[in-house]
């Protein structure tokens, strides 16, 4: 048991730093640092740079094109990227459908889909939730009926993140309406350009457009796009959700968030003194810092179990819960820190990256929208209530 | 001791609630927010006609002799419908300043027409560095003959774009954060040298940044006593705090009602999600929080005009702390229990949440008022 | 709408203050302020004094011997007594069984039992919970079988506060095991001296002895000691619980607690510590909100309403506040929360405290106060009640 980095780890960290410094375009890093929203091209430029280096799919096994890193190396990579204001890697290809394909897909599917994910040439999105199936995902009703070499898909998906930028979508669909809920579900890969697919934006509380409803109207999907066996989609879905929960804690991002918050507290004043010298605000910062540290060590413990061959167990639900609460708390304190200048609403600055001058300090305008938006973290990826049900049942045996 | 509404008060309550029910459906409000002004002159005329603009002013000032309880009744109902008309800046702040500090001539010239619906006000008391300290005033008012010349910047001034007059704090003596030496002025909104940058706020209201460059005003522009404006503004703001606390109570009750309805009808796993104990208890906590907010707002409305200044300060700060705490809990819980729908722009829930969040900041955060309360009560 | 006191109210308040000053021994008041426990006689002597004045049963209607006070007077009475440091009025006779008897009892029962309560000549205790029936009270199993003019009672009650001081116990017993759980229950009054009644102390986590197990072994209870109809006990129980929930918020005591906390903070040099100040202000405001909520309920009751299920919220918040005050006192005294001095806590002892006087009971009180979110229906049960009765979930 050792917390210290080895010389090799340190060399690795320097290598990652040098790579990020050389390959992360300045305009992108600036946007991330300022808390601005990124556009598709920003993500793609960065992910393709990582892809060329072979680092984009850094969690994949070597045989599928991953770099074969240790747990420590992954940890270092994620933290360096966050510290240096790299955009978060979009998980839909690399962390979600990619592992499903290399674990459950056919050789043809691996050959066909994995390279594009590794290189970030295609954008994936996720078709899980439906208007009537949120927390109760297994009740989904989107129907896929076999018709010769195709499935004909009808239904709608919602809370589809960034589907308006996507080339492909992976979907849970019902292929058998007579089987038990979980048993009639299959996992399909669908080209977003297929006729019959319509994407309709959902506008969020902060005025942003990041999620959509996706409608399927007699969409014909080749049978070759079925992953694994018909009716076993739920197994793959559970596998994917367990992977999702791990990264969803967003710890490196929260660490960066705490640092940003400290900078805001240094810039803001109260009665002529920096806010960071205000004892009650310091207490809140310290409390948050400690929460992040506790979460990080919990994740390190989970990773260390995985390093010796264990699978992520249901207890990772706890990481998702605390991770989301911490992300929310950071944004809440940012609103508190900026005071009145949380009030002006400047959508053009937020969404279009316009050059409009901010009304308050540059860091202030996105504080309230972020606070509103980040409420989603305790809802998506399985609401925190559902995560607690999972822990209660699977870990505590209640 | 008696905590029940009089018959007159019940009538006012019914009237304002009816207005909100009939004129402020959520989709109507969305349309009103998108108009150039961000509020409807027709509604404002109705407020004047129904006497709501003069409700809390003395009969001698042309009002109807009500007080903080009547103001709370109106603001609570406005909160339940997220009413956008600028009642707070015009009536509670501008009108409040005139009632407490205005001369007879100023009241005749400004307050009487305001009560008739013919004038609107804005209240410029925030500066970029001031945070919640009302005496942190860098805008200067330099003596110039009989009058003054104002220079400097004021921030987040609600309703400035629609206002006929702007009330503004400026320094006439002392250092930047001295309590003494702050003076409250009233300036015509179209005065030469006064420029604005207008913008919407997170909660669909309208505010502006104001820059004063050589803005000349007469000696009659001083509200109250020269150099003694800080305590006047504190009184005005403390009374306005009770108003926004009542507004928050209206928001909380409305959003709780919406959430309760949602968890009774939204089904997952084959049952209404309100059958799950974890949501039931959270809903009960929301109800309790709203009740406490109502209790503290009621307390503040009954104590805000207490002759003992510490009693009224503590009342305002105490209510504001409770509102901040309850508003955050209720707002966040409402979003959570609505699930994904709660974080969209589509339902009213996120709009209540946003308004409650902004109310927590306005006139000082929960933390600011907790500290203020402690400073008073530990000194006692 | 008005919070002000009339001249009459102020005179009343002075009268209560004068009465308390004349009738409360300094030694008893000192125990309140130093957080020590009272002896039986401390309670009884004070209650007898109140009884002689006609004030003990201050919430009762005039026709049963209450003083006929309005809501404001009751409020003032409770607050003055708490400010002064009077022992709390034990609720078992005055607030629990008394109102049940005058509401559901016969004329004979009223004549027989109410005077003893009014004068505090008889001490009561409560036989509700059982080892297997806590939050789920209706599942109780103590059995009463009719045998001629008597019921023969067998079973066990637990968490019985002050049973070791009690002359009488009011019990919920099962008279019909075949009916639905709520329908086979009856409400019996039992003389603690009846053969077959045994009391066994339960020592609490702070070392205190307040509660007991009460064993009922072939206890013969005359049928005339049953209140209301056989099988109607659950109605009495619910009525009693709703009354209990109101007083259980303990607002006046918590106000005194906040004052005590400020004194401790000053003594500990914490009054200038901004974070501790914030914590005191926060709890002070919680008490203020609770008090105002209680006043709103009282005001509704004065206008003729009955306390509804929403009073559960007062119980929940009241208990949380009592706990928070105890927690903050513990935080304030630091390491001197550690020494354990039971002689000082529970007995009239001359031993001196190892730390400051205010430090002696701090930890014990914190531990002990955890009970407040458990007893009188746990806070979880209160929320279930609210969820069902108020929110319709």
């Amino acid at each position: 048991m050792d917390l210290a980095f080895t010389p090799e780890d340190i060399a690795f960290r320097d290598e990652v730093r040098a790579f990020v410094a050389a390959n992360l375009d300045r305009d992108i890093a600036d946007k991330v640092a300022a808390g601005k929203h990124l556009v598709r091209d920003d993500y793609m430029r960065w992910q393709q740079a990582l892809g060329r280096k072979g680092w984009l799919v850094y969690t994949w096994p070597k045989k599928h094109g991953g770099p074969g890193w240790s747990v420590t190396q992954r940890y270092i990579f994620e933290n360096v990227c966050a510290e240096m204001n790299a955009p978060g890697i979009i998980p839909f290809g690399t962390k979600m459908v990619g592992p499903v394909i290399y674990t459950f897909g056919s050789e043809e599917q691996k050959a066909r889909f994995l390279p594009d994910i590794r290189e970030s040439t295609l954008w994936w999105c996720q078709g899980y939730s439906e208007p009537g199936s949120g927390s109760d995902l297994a009740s989904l009703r989107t129907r896929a009926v076999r018709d010769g070499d195709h499935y004909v898909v009808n239904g709608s998906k919602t809370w589809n993140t960034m589907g308006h930028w996507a080339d492909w979508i992976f979907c849970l669909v019902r292929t058998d309406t007579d089987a038990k809920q979980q048993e009639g579900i299959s996992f399909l890969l669908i080209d977003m350009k297929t006729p019959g697919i319509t994407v309709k934006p959902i506008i969020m509380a902060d005025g942003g457009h990041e999620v959509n409803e996706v409608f399927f109207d007699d969409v014909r999907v080749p049978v070759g796009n079925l992953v694994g066996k018909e009716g076993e989609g739920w197994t793959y879905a559970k596998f994917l959700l367990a992977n999702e929960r791990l990264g969803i804690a967003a710890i490196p991002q929260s660490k960066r968030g705490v640092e940003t918050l400290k900078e805001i507290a240094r810039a803001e004043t109260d009665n002529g003194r920096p806010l960071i010298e205000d004892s009650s605000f310091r207490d809140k910062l310290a409390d948050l810092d400690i929460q992040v540290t506790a979460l990080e060590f919990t994740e390190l413990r989970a990773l260390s179990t995985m390093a010796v061959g264990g699978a992520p167990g249901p207890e990772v639900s706890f990481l998702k819960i605390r991770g989301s609460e911490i992300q929310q708390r950071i944004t809440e304190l940012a609103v508190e820190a900026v005071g009145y200048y949380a009030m002006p609403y400047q959508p053009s600055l937020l969404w279009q990256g316009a050059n409009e001058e901010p009304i308050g300090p540059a860091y202030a305008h996105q504080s309230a929208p972020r606070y509103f938006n980040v409420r989603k973290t305790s809802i998506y990826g399985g609401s925190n209530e559902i995560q607690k049900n999972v822990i209660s049942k699977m870990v505590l045996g209640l | 001791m008696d905590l029940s509404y009089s018959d007159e008060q019940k009538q006012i309550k019914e009237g304002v609630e009816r207005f909100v029910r009939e004129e402020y459906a959520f989709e109507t409000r969305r349309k009103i927010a998108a108009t150039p002004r961000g509020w409807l002159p027709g509604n404002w005329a109705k407020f004047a006609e129904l006497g709501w603009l003069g409700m809390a002013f003395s009969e001698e000032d042309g009002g109807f002799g009500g007080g903080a309880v009547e103001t709370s009744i109106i603001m609570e109902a406005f909160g339940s419908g997220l009413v956008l008309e600028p009642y707070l800046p015009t009536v509670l702040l501008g009108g409040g300043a005139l009632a407490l500090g205005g001369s007879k001539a100023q009241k005749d010239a400004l307050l009487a027409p305001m009560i008739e619906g013919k004038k609107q006000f804005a209240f410029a008391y925030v500066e970029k560095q001031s945070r919640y300290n009302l005496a942190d005033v860098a805008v200067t008012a330099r003596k110039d003959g009989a009058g003054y010349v104002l220079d400097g910047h004021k921030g987040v001034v609600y309703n400035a774009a629609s206002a006929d007059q702007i009330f503004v704090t400026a320094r006439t003596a002392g250092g930047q954060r001295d309590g003494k030496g702050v003076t409250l002025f009233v300036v015509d909104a179209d005065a030469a040298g006064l420029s604005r940058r207008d913008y919407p706020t997170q909660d669909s209201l309208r505010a502006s940044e104001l820059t004063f460059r050589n803005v000349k005003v007469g000696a009659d522009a001083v509200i109250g006593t020269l150099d003694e404006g800080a305590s006047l503004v504190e009184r005005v703001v403390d009374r306005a705090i009770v108003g926004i606390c009542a507004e928050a109570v209206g928001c909380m009750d409305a959003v709780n009602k919406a959430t309760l309805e949602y968890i009774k009808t939204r089904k997952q796993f084959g049952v209404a999600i309100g059958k799950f104990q974890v949501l039931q208890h959270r809903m009960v906590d929301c109800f309790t929080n709203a009740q406490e907010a109502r209790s503290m707002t009621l307390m503040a409305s009954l104590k805000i005009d207490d002759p003992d200044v510490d009693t009224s300060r503590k009342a305002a700060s105490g209510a504001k702390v409770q509102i901040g705490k309850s508003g955050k809990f209720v707002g966040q819980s409402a979003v959570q229990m609505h699930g994904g729908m709660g974080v969209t722009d589509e339902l009213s829930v996120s709009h209540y949440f946003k308004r409650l969040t902004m109310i927590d900041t306005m006139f000082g955060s929960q933390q600011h008022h907790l500290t203020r309360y402690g400073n008073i009560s530990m000194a006692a | 709408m008005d919070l002000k006191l009339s001249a009459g109210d102020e005179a009343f308040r002075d009268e209560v203050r004068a009465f308390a000053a004349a009738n409360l021994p300094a030694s008893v008041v000192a125990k309140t302020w130093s957080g020590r426990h009272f002896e039986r006689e401390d309670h009884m002597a004070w209650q007898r004094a109140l009884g002689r004045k006609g004030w003990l049963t201050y919430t009762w209607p005039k026709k049963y011997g209450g003083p006929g006070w309005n809501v404001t007077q009751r409020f003032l009475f409770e607050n003055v007594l708490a400010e002064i440091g009077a022992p709390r009025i034990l609720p078992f006779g005055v607030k629990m069984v008394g109102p049940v008897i005058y509401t559901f009892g016969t004329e004979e029962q009223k004549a027989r039992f109410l005077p003893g309560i009014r004068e505090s000549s008889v001490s009561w205790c409560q036989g509700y919970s059982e080892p297997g029936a806590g939050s789920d009270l209706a599942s109780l199993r103590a059995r009463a079988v009719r045998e001629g003019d008597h019921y023969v009672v067998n079973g066990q009650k637990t968490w019985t506060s002050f049973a070791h001081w009690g002359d009488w116990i009011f019990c919920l017993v099962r008279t019909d095991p075949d009916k639905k759980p709520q329908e086979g229950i009856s409400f019996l009054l039992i003389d603690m001296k009846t053969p077959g009644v045994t009391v066994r102390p339960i020592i609490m986590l702070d070392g205190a002895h307040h509660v007991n197990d009460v064993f009922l072994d072939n206890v013969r209870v005359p049928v005339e000691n049953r209140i209301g109809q056989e099988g109607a006990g659950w109605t009495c129980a619910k009525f009693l619980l709703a009354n209990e929930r109101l007083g259980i918020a303990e607002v006046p005591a918590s106000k005194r607690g906040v004052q005590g906390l400020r004194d401790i903070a000053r003594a500990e040099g914490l009054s200038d510590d901004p974070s501790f100040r914030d914590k005191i202000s926060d709890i002070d405001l919680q008490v203020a909100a609770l008090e105002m909520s209680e006043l709103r309920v009282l005001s509704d009751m004065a206008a003729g309403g009955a306390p509804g299920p929403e009073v559960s919220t007062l119980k929940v918040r009241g208990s949380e506040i009592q706990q928070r005050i105890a927690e903050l006192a513990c935080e304030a005294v630091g390491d001197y929360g550690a020494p354990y001095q039971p002689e000082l806590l529970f007995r009239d002892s001359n031993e001196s405290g190892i730390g400051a006087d205010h430090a002696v009971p701090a930890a014990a009180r914190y531990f002990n106060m955890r009970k407040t979110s458990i007893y009188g229906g746990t806070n979880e049960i209160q929320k279930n009640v609210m969820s069902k009765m108020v929110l319709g979930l």
Side-chain angles (χ1 to χ4, degrees), chain B residues 186-200:
Chain B
V186 59
V187 182
D188 285 341
D190 57 4
L194 171 53
S195 60
R196 292 196 325 260
R197 180 177 177 191
D198 301 336
Y199 49 83

Side-chain angles (χ1 to χ4, degrees), chain A residues 103-138:
Chain A
T103 309
F104 302 104
S106 65
E107 290 310 316
E108 292 72 27
Q109 287 171 335
K110 290 179 202 172
R112 182 174 167 204
F113 292 108
L114 296 185
D116 287 329
I117 298 177
R118 280 198 300 264
E119 292 154 21
S120 196
T121 43
L122 289 183
W123 189 292
W124 282 87
C125 68
Q126 181 185 39
Y128 267 36
S129 296
E130 298 183 7
S133 306
S135 292
D136 182 11
L137 186 58

Side-chain angles (χ1 to χ4, degrees), chain A residues 9 12 53-75 77 102 118 307:
Chain A
D9 293 334
F12 175 76
K53 180 81 178 170
W55 287 357
L56 179 60
V57 294
Y58 66 100
T59 55
W60 291 16
K62 220 160 179 171
K63 65 183 277 207
H64 298 302
W69 285 345
S70 68
V71 166
T72 309
Q73 286 173 311
R74 289 182 195 180
Y75 168 83
F77 173 73
Y102 68 64
R118 280 198 300 264

Side-chain angles (χ1 to χ4, degrees), chain A residues 130-137 139 159 200-207 268-272 275 278 280 284 328-329 332 335-347 356-361 365 368-369 371-373 375-376 378-379 383-386, chain B residues 125-133 136 153-156 158 177 197-203 209 266-270 276 278-279 282 328 332-333 335-346 350 353-355 357-359 361-365 367-368 371:
Chain A
E130 298 183 7
S133 306
S135 292
D136 182 11
L137 186 58
S139 69
W159 311 129
K200 181 176 152 273
I202 300 173
I203 301 303
M204 299 291 273
D206 59 356
E268 283 290 323
T269 60
D270 188 8
N271 282 311
L275 184 62
D278 176 86
S280 66
K284 289 171 192 169
Q328 293 176 338
R329 180 66 179 152
E332 199 175 307
V335 171
E336 184 172 333
V338 302
Y340 276 102
Y341 281 97
M343 290 175 167
Y345 180 53
Q346 294 188 275
E356 182 181 313
E357 194 196 334
I359 287 159
H365 77 277
Y371 168 59
F372 300 142
N373 184 281
R375 300 314 302 172
K376 72 186 176 192
S378 55
I379 295 166
S383 72
N384 285 10
E385 288 79 6
I386 291 291
Chain B
Y125 63 101
V126 174
E127 297 188 3
K128 293 218 171 194
Q129 82 295 341
S130 69
R131 192 166 289 268
Y132 308 123
N133 181 354
D136 187 339
H153 185 91
K154 290 285 181 185
V156 203
Y158 282 84
R177 284 182 291 277
R197 180 177 177 191
D198 301 336
Y199 49 83
T201 58
Q202 305 289 345
D203 46 355
E209 298 296 292
R266 165 78 177 174
K267 284 193 173 158
Q268 291 283 272
F269 306 102
F276 298 114
V278 66
L279 295 193
R282 188 149 184 179
K328 188 175 278 185
Q332 293 182 350
S333 298
V335 168
Q336 183 71 21
M337 286 191 271
H338 274 83
M341 291 311 294
V343 283
T344 69
D345 179 66
E346 294 177 14
S350 64
F353 173 48
K354 289 194 272 189
R355 180 65 190 141
T357 303
M358 294 301 116
I359 286 177
T361 296
M362 185 170 279
F363 304 134
S365 64
Q367 178 64 52
H368 170 79
T371 305

Side-chain angles (χ1 to χ4, degrees), chain B residues 8-50:
Chain B
E8 291 80 7
Q9 289 167 337
K10 282 181 196 152
Q11 272 175 15
I12 299 165
K13 188 169 152 67
E14 280 160 23
V16 194
E17 285 173 354
R18 189 179 325 115
F19 165 78
V20 169
R21 207 165 45 240
E22 290 170 1
E23 309 294 339
Y24 253 91
F26 180 61
E27 289 307 321
T28 312
R29 176 189 184 268
R30 200 192 281 281
K31 289 190 191 110
I32 297 174
T35 60
R37 269 192 196 86
W39 55 274
L40 291 187
N43 284 342
W44 196 256
K46 200 171 287 177
F47 294 0
E49 185 191 326
L50 293 166

Side-chain angles (χ1 to χ4, degrees), chain B residues 68-300:
Chain B
V69 173
E70 283 76 9
T71 299
S72 294
I73 289 170
I74 294 171
M75 289 296 283
E76 182 186 331
F78 283 174
S80 73
L82 294 170
V83 167
L84 296 160
E85 277 68 22
Y87 195 87
L88 171 68
T90 300
V91 180
L92 301 192
L93 292 170
L98 287 166
L100 287 172
S103 65
K104 172 82 172 65
Q106 286 166 334
K107 287 178 180 172
D108 288 346
L110 300 174
L111 188 55
M114 186 281 281
I115 291 172
E116 290 167 23
K118 293 177 188 150
K119 275 193 182 297
Q120 290 218 344
F121 303 141
F123 202 76
Y125 63 101
V126 174
E127 297 188 3
K128 293 218 171 194
Q129 82 295 341
S130 69
R131 192 166 289 268
Y132 308 123
N133 181 354
L134 299 170
D136 187 339
V137 176
V139 167
T140 56
R142 182 165 42 82
K143 188 88 177 132
D144 176 45
Y148 297 85
V149 179
L150 275 65
D151 279 287
H153 185 91
K154 290 285 181 185
V156 203
V157 185
Y158 282 84
N159 199 41
S162 292
D164 300 288
Q165 269 79 30
I166 315 265
F167 290 76
V168 54
T169 51
R171 187 151 291 286
T172 40
Q176 188 187 308
R177 284 182 291 277
D178 288 349
K180 195 169 166 67
V182 175
T183 303
L184 182 64
F185 292 89
V186 59
V187 182
D188 285 341
D190 57 4
L194 171 53
S195 60
R196 292 196 325 260
R197 180 177 177 191
D198 301 336
Y199 49 83
T201 58
Q202 305 289 345
D203 46 355
S204 307
L205 296 170
R206 303 301 172 89
S208 309
E209 298 296 292
L210 298 184
T211 305
F212 295 80
R213 278 197 197 88
N214 270 315
V215 176
K216 293 185 177 8
V217 295
D220 59 351
V222 174
I223 305 284
T225 311
L226 187 73
D227 294 343
E228 304 294 341
S231 58
L232 170 63
V233 171
E234 187 189 9
R235 285 286 296 134
V236 172
V237 165
D238 275 351
R239 288 168 57 154
I241 282 174
V242 182
I244 59 166
C245 287
E247 183 187 350
V249 168
C251 288
M252 282 184 236
D253 276 3
V255 76
N256 275 347
K257 195 172 155 213
T259 306
L260 182 59
E261 183 59 29
Y262 186 79
I263 67 173
K264 279 181 182 174
T265 47
R266 165 78 177 174
K267 284 193 173 158
Q268 291 283 272
F269 306 102
V271 293
I273 59 175
K275 289 291 168 203
F276 298 114
Q277 196 180 37
V278 66
L279 295 193
Q280 292 179 344
H281 284 197
R282 188 149 184 179
M283 196 68 234
V284 168
D285 291 340
C286 285
F287 172 84
T288 303
N289 266 281
Q291 287 297 315
E292 292 183 294
R294 177 175 293 283
S295 291
M296 289 301 274
T297 302
L298 178 63
M299 178 279 297

